[in-house]
Amino acid sequence: MNKKSNLILIILGVTLFSLIPNCKKGASTATLASDAASRVYVAPGEKDEVYAFLSGGFSGQMSVYGIPSARLFKIIPVFSVFPENGYGFDEETKDMLKTTHGYVPWDDSHHVEASMTDGKQDGRWMFLNANNTPRLARIDLKSFETKEILEIPNTAGNHASPFATENTEYLMAATRFSVPVPQASVAIDSFSKGGFKGTVTMVKVDKNTGRLSIELQVLVPGFNYDLSHCGKKKSHDWCFFSSYNSEQAHKMLEVGASKKDKDFILAFNWVRAKECKDQGKAYNFGGDYVNNFHDENKPAVSTRLSGVKMLNPKDCPGMMYYMPTPKSPHGTDVDSTGEYIVGGGKLASVIPVHSFSKMIEVKDKKEHHSTEIEGIPVLKYESTLAGEVQKPCLGPLHTEFDGQGYAYTSCFVSSEVVKWKLGTWEVVQHLPAYYSVGHLSIVGGSSTEPYGKYLIAMNKITKDRYLPVGMELPQSAQLYDISSGKAELLSDFPTVGEPHYSQMIPAKLLMDKTAKLYPLEENKHPYATKSENEAKIVRLGSTIHIYMTAIRSHFKPDIIEAKTGETLYFHVTNLEQDYDIPHGFAIGGAPNMTNLLIMPGETRTFKWVAPKPGIYPFYCTDFCSALHQEMQQYIRVSP
Amino acid sequence: MKTLLFQTLSKRNRLLILGVGLILVSVFLIPIWSISISAPQYPEGLGMQIWINKITGATPYDLKNINLLNHYIGMQEIISESIPELLFMPYVLGYLIFGAFITELYPKVGMAILGIINLIIVGLVGLSDFWRWEYNYGHNLNPDAPIIIEGMAYQPPLLGCKVMLNITACSYPSYGGVILGLSLVTLVYILWDENRRKKSNVH
């Protein structure tokens, strides 16, 4: 959501505010922990309790913070090039950013999902979506590196993604912007006549390797599918997608898409969908897409694929149902027991909660259907409703759960998080947020076993919270302690990009699993040089391959001769087998290439076309030892 | 004295010597000595282990990293192949084990005394050789080394800890060394026990 639409929502919020005069009283019940500083203080040499993985929004990256200290540990490049380590530039990783649209070195990353086993975080992978050019990435939590990117065809705006099923069998990806499927140049007003479609994509995750593949796409009515969460335990077979613009307005959506009192949460039985596919009910459909895979210490392999299996809802009865949900629902969140599906109607004055059991009970009874849209039955609102949280706040968006029977909903317009009780639907606490909170996240809060100690709220605006730094202020997250009966604000901290969602994982689940180096003997890179004796220069016509090694504190070979116009590939292997000793590699004035940061035991390639005659230095950029400054040499370029 | 030398070992002491022979076999499989170093940039430490026939790092990468540190001060690279002692040490150990088994066939106190002498010689020669080896590595430095500090040598301690530049090096017997020591103690105990038995027989 950009800031202009924020402004519009604020204006709408003010309107709503006048309609719900009692709503805001709760903010005064927020508490600030008096000993907050000591509770977020992690003494030098001690470690944080939790890893927080925050999406980078328009930075296209993912960042790793320690909680409760809120210190930034790492930025993991995913969909954006990263000059710090050459991601997206070097011969190994540049193919990671290939798409059918060509090389797209940026994206808009919204949602982080953790891999799960039996509904619990298993610390194997993180997944991230690319909204702009529909893609989905897998980040390995051993190396904290992006290992795979899969493009999603027949979709536009991959927003409701990448939400995982209970055992990470599948990741869901659904259309934010409905478009003609297949793509075609049509009159834009044909959107209102049903000419635009959405798709829900089931991306299969190989349970051993994590490799991604498209299992199936389902062609759904042309609404805007916004967010998703999958069921757990009894609702294991189901995923839930919020949608807005069921009006199918195609211009001035702020008005056109806000007319109806209710839009929908789409309940999708993915087990049933797979069944229908296996019964041959899906048909072959077009759609080109790219899968980029970066195996351990090898160049990434980009594969162009074509065609998917497509399924129409009317050909697979029992697969999809619409649950009316007020009003323009944004978040759709399933509680830890799998029973409650909470809709965040961003323009609604209540928080509606659907009951999974009720839905199952009524879904195939005609008297509980109000109508049907393109083969998808629409259930009656009251038929699936478990309850409504009355007048909770303004602009409820997302909900997370603490495993103690409480839900926490972020409210964008009134800038707060409301804590309420599942079952009684009573608001028990208002927590102010500074300001305009979008997503929120509890440690394990979307799993079946929340580690309900910390909650962070991810805010869009930070006026007055930090020193001004020009016209744009940093986005921020706020940390609350929710372990006791009354949640307390502990700290706020600026973030990289605009984080939309995060997953937080207890440190003890991850910290000992991290890889410390790439073992040289396992290095399968085709241009690896595993000892200094093997370092060499190989000329093939006007191409020069330099098999180079780097170790404290020298490169070998260290004198390079080339002629103007020749292409040089520096295949640099870091011979170190020591933790935290990468070497850098950069050449003075090299165009189109940035620094390489080569991990111990890793091989990466710097491509350079010899420019006009002269002497060009190259050097190690990561301060590696006492003689780091001596880790430098020259390339001579002759006419 | 002569009577003691040819006194037949008690059944229990024969079993003890057999035990010494058997437990010495394990010395082929475990390190004898270990040198550990720690420095600010190595908070978890680095370790080097000396076995009867080889030198290894405490982890697969430690020896490489110790050599990497050492090259700054011009120390030779430590590799098993450059240490000839490691070639014949297994035979010395084999000789000791062989001696223990021979004693079962010829169970005389004199054999135990021979074992004690052998172990002491092996220990003294081993330790002095180890010291010489450490001395050479610590003093025989490359004059072209990047870091040369006048008067500084890098000989690790024979036993105990020593601070060299920013590195603390500690040297202690490892399991194999402890077993060798226990073997010696056992043999001395057998000798003491047989001597006591002889005296009680006289009375």
Side-chain angles (χ1 to χ4, degrees):
Chain A
M1 216 175 290
N2 65 34
K3 289 197 173 158
K4 282 203 184 81
S5 62
N6 289 351
L7 184 65
I8 290 156
L9 277 175
I10 289 166
I11 294 165
L12 275 170
V14 171
T15 318
L16 279 170
F17 183 80
S18 59
L19 299 173
I20 317 164
N22 292 328
C23 187
K24 198 125 196 291
K25 68 171 192 312
S28 59
T29 67
T31 56
L32 177 69
S34 57
D35 59 345
S38 67
R39 282 152 67 181
V40 299
Y41 182 67
V42 175
E46 288 181 8
K47 297 191 171 76
D48 278 283
E49 188 179 338
V50 166
Y51 285 95
F53 296 83
L54 274 63
S55 65
F58 46 69
S59 81
Q61 295 159 338
M62 182 190 274
S63 47
V64 187
Y65 289 81
I67 297 294
S69 72
R71 294 175 295 185
L72 173 64
F73 292 156
K74 184 171 184 148
I75 296 170
I76 303 171
V78 185
F79 297 110
S80 294
V81 291
F82 201 46
E84 181 179 302
N85 68 0
Y87 179 81
F89 291 97
D90 72 342
E91 297 304 296
E92 281 70 26
T93 60
K94 66 178 197 211
D95 282 357
M96 289 299 281
L97 302 174
K98 267 193 184 169
T99 73
T100 53
H101 302 274
Y103 177 73
V104 182
W106 165 84
D107 219 297
D108 179 21
S109 293
H110 282 217
H111 309 120
V112 186
E113 182 75 317
S115 60
M116 291 181 291
T117 304
D118 296 331
K120 300 179 198 91
Q121 297 171 323
D122 59 20
R124 300 173 78 192
W125 307 298
M126 281 289 165
F127 303 98
L128 188 68
N129 72 323
N131 184 46
N132 180 64
T133 305
R135 285 174 280 181
L136 201 156
R138 176 169 57 87
I139 293 98
D140 186 276
L141 291 183
K142 256 175 77 186
S143 57
F144 285 60
E145 286 172 357
T146 304
K147 289 295 175 198
E148 189 168 9
I149 292 179
L150 178 71
E151 191 179 359
I152 313 289
N154 307 317
T155 189
N158 177 39
H159 194 268
S161 167
F163 295 93
T165 55
E166 200 173 358
N167 286 300
T168 323
E169 295 99 334
Y170 293 100
L171 300 170
M172 297 296 154
T175 306
R176 170 169 166 192
F177 310 110
S178 282
V179 287
V181 179
Q183 268 288 10
S185 171
V186 299
I188 288 176
D189 65 8
S190 63
F191 189 1
S192 305
K193 297 162 195 143
F196 288 32
K197 294 286 177 193
T199 51
V200 170
T201 307
M202 285 168 61
V203 174
K204 188 176 182 185
V205 183
D206 184 281
K207 67 177 190 295
N208 298 315
T209 63
R211 290 299 305 269
L212 306 173
S213 58
I214 293 178
E215 174 84 52
L216 178 68
Q217 288 196 314
V218 184
L219 197 64
V220 289
F223 305 157
N224 295 69
Y225 295 87
D226 205 10
L227 271 157
S228 171
H229 258 107
C230 291
K232 42 201 83 148
K233 295 177 180 167
K234 61 179 144 181
S235 52
H236 167 272
D237 296 0
W238 296 78
C239 291
F240 304 91
F241 298 81
S242 62
S243 65
Y244 61 97
N245 195 18
S246 57
E247 297 87 345
Q248 297 192 314
H250 66 279
K251 57 182 179 181
M252 278 301 280
L253 258 61
E254 62 163 307
V255 177
S258 303
K259 282 189 172 142
K260 285 191 186 166
D261 182 45
K262 290 187 178 64
D263 289 292
F264 301 113
I265 285 176
L266 173 68
F268 169 49
N269 185 328
W270 57 269
V271 174
R272 174 79 184 125
K274 174 73 165 61
E275 200 175 276
C276 289
K277 183 204 166 194
D278 293 345
Q279 289 165 358
K281 289 177 178 167
Y283 51 99
N284 290 325
F285 198 83
D288 292 337
Y289 61 105
V290 163
N291 174 237
N292 307 320
F293 174 54
H294 191 199
D295 203 353
E296 295 246 309
N297 210 356
K298 280 184 200 165
V301 176
S302 182
T303 312
R304 205 182 162 98
L305 299 156
S306 190
V308 295
K309 285 283 180 191
M310 186 69 84
L311 185 61
N312 280 330
K314 66 175 166 46
D315 297 331
C316 186
M319 174 176 71
M320 282 180 163
Y321 299 87
Y322 276 126
M323 297 193 285
T325 304
K327 182 179 178 178
S328 299
H330 188 51
T332 165
D333 299 288
V334 185
D335 83 312
S336 335
T337 68
E339 167 63 13
Y340 296 121
I341 302 122
V342 182
K346 56 187 185 273
L347 308 174
S349 57
V350 297
I351 300 173
V353 182
H354 296 285
S355 155
F356 176 74
S357 314
K358 280 192 175 178
M359 186 200 88
I360 291 296
E361 199 183 307
V362 306
K363 69 184 175 58
D364 296 317
K365 294 181 179 156
K366 282 277 177 213
E367 65 272 27
H368 292 284
H369 292 190
S370 61
T371 177
E372 191 179 286
I373 302 172
E374 297 179 32
I376 303 173
V378 179
L379 309 177
K380 287 180 178 161
Y381 177 58
E382 294 74 19
S383 298
T384 60
L385 195 70
E388 287 175 337
V389 183
Q390 295 296 327
K391 295 182 181 177
C393 59
L394 296 175
L397 294 182
H398 306 283
T399 304
E400 291 256 310
F401 308 91
D402 66 1
Q404 308 295 318
Y406 291 97
Y408 297 75
T409 301
S410 59
C411 302
F412 180 84
V413 179
S414 54
S415 279
E416 60 183 324
V417 173
V418 290
K419 177 181 177 179
W420 51 275
K421 192 157 176 55
L422 287 159
T424 70
W425 325 117
E426 278 172 323
V427 172
V428 296
Q429 198 183 356
H430 291 260
L431 302 155
Y434 307 99
Y435 304 92
S436 303
V437 55
H439 274 277
L440 77 177
S441 172
I442 288 174
V443 187
S446 61
S447 73
T448 56
E449 262 189 6
Y451 172 88
K453 181 162 178 191
Y454 295 112
L455 178 151
I456 58 173
M458 284 155 272
N459 307 324
K460 313 293 186 192
I461 293 166
T462 56
K463 287 186 180 117
D464 94 359
R465 300 303 282 182
Y466 306 113
L467 286 175
V469 286
M471 285 150 278
E472 159 109 58
L473 297 177
Q475 278 74 28
S476 86
Q478 277 179 289
L479 176 68
Y480 302 86
D481 183 336
I482 56 165
S483 58
S484 62
K486 202 158 201 183
E488 295 172 303
L489 177 63
L490 295 180
S491 77
D492 56 13
F493 57 99
T495 56
V496 178
E498 188 214 314
H500 285 258
Y501 191 39
S502 91
Q503 288 283 337
M504 294 197 280
I505 295 191
K508 61 178 191 298
L509 192 67
L510 282 188
M511 58 188 288
D512 298 326
K513 288 190 195 163
T514 313
K516 291 189 157 70
L517 46 83
Y518 288 112
L520 265 179
E521 64 271 20
E522 290 171 20
N523 182 332
K524 300 276 196 307
H525 194 289
Y527 293 98
T529 312
K530 297 187 188 183
S531 77
E532 286 195 354
N533 304 333
E534 296 166 36
K536 63 188 174 193
I537 298 171
V538 177
R539 284 185 159 270
L540 300 164
S542 61
T543 302
I544 307 173
H545 290 275
I546 298 131
Y547 293 74
M548 183 176 273
T549 60
I551 196 164
R552 281 163 286 177
S553 314
H554 58 276
F555 294 102
K556 194 182 172 188
D558 57 358
I559 299 283
I560 313 291
E561 299 269 356
K563 291 193 170 67
T564 297
E566 287 182 324
T567 303
L568 285 75
Y569 291 94
F570 293 85
H571 308 289
V572 189
T573 301
N574 180 349
L575 291 182
E576 306 281 353
Q577 297 283 268
D578 197 358
Y579 191 24
D580 198 24
I581 309 285
H583 287 296
F585 182 85
I587 300 177
N592 310 322
M593 260 306 288
T594 60
N595 178 47
L596 289 186
L597 202 58
I598 310 154
M599 297 302 125
E602 188 182 33
T603 304
R604 292 181 70 181
T605 302
F606 194 105
K607 183 183 175 185
W608 190 68
V609 176
K612 64 182 183 187
I615 299 292
Y616 296 86
F618 63 91
Y619 66 106
C620 172
T621 53
D622 189 351
F623 212 111
C624 57
S625 71
L627 297 173
H628 159 73
Q629 214 66 356
E630 282 73 13
M631 199 164 169
Q632 60 177 49
Q633 262 304 343
Y634 296 107
I635 309 159
R636 178 187 178 189
V637 178
S638 311
Chain B
M1 186 65 195
K2 205 174 175 185
T3 42
L4 180 64
L5 277 180
F6 290 99
Q7 178 174 302
T8 301
L9 293 166
S10 72
K11 201 172 176 185
R12 194 180 60 126
N13 286 341
R14 271 177 73 183
L15 277 175
L16 274 175
I17 286 195
L18 183 65
V20 165
L22 288 174
I23 199 168
L24 280 176
V25 173
S26 70
V27 178
F28 282 115
L29 308 171
I30 50 179
I32 297 172
W33 210 268
S34 115
I35 297 178
S36 63
I37 69 173
S38 64
Q41 73 271 34
Y42 288 99
E44 291 156 9
L46 290 171
M48 193 170 87
Q49 291 173 334
I50 300 160
W51 303 55
I52 198 78
N53 62 343
K54 62 183 175 183
I55 292 184
T56 63
T59 76
Y61 310 110
D62 279 10
L63 193 58
K64 177 173 177 152
N65 290 323
I66 289 170
N67 282 327
L68 253 175
L69 282 180
N70 289 350
H71 98 277
Y72 286 114
I73 49 166
M75 233 170 164
Q76 284 168 267
E77 201 179 335
I78 301 170
I79 44 171
S80 304
E81 291 75 24
S82 64
I83 302 161
E85 287 88 335
L86 298 173
L87 287 177
F88 66 80
M89 281 296 281
Y91 295 102
V92 174
L93 180 62
Y95 163 74
L96 291 173
I97 295 164
F98 181 70
F101 293 147
I102 287 293
T103 308
E104 296 305 305
L105 302 174
Y106 186 64
K108 301 295 175 197
V109 175
M111 292 298 280
I113 294 173
L114 187 63
I116 291 170
I117 294 167
N118 281 336
L119 268 170
I120 288 174
I121 290 173
V122 167
L124 287 177
V125 170
L127 282 174
S128 61
D129 189 61
F130 183 43
W131 183 86
R132 195 179 57 88
W133 178 85
E134 286 184 332
Y135 182 91
N136 281 340
Y137 269 91
H139 287 80
N140 194 5
L141 303 173
N142 183 352
D144 293 332
I147 299 172
I148 292 178
I149 295 168
E150 195 121 353
M152 188 71 194
Y154 303 95
Q155 182 179 357
L158 191 63
L159 191 70
C161 293
K162 186 173 167 187
V163 178
M164 293 174 289
L165 303 185
N166 69 329
I167 290 169
T168 305
C170 293
S171 173
Y172 290 105
S174 189
Y175 306 106
V178 171
I179 284 174
L180 284 167
L182 283 177
S183 302
L184 180 61
V185 169
T186 307
L187 291 181
V188 170
Y189 164 78
I190 290 168
L191 178 61
W192 171 80
D193 185 57
E194 291 293 337
N195 189 38
R196 195 188 53 168
R197 210 156 62 84
K198 180 185 152 227
K199 280 178 188 161
S200 61
N201 285 349
V202 168
H203 288 286

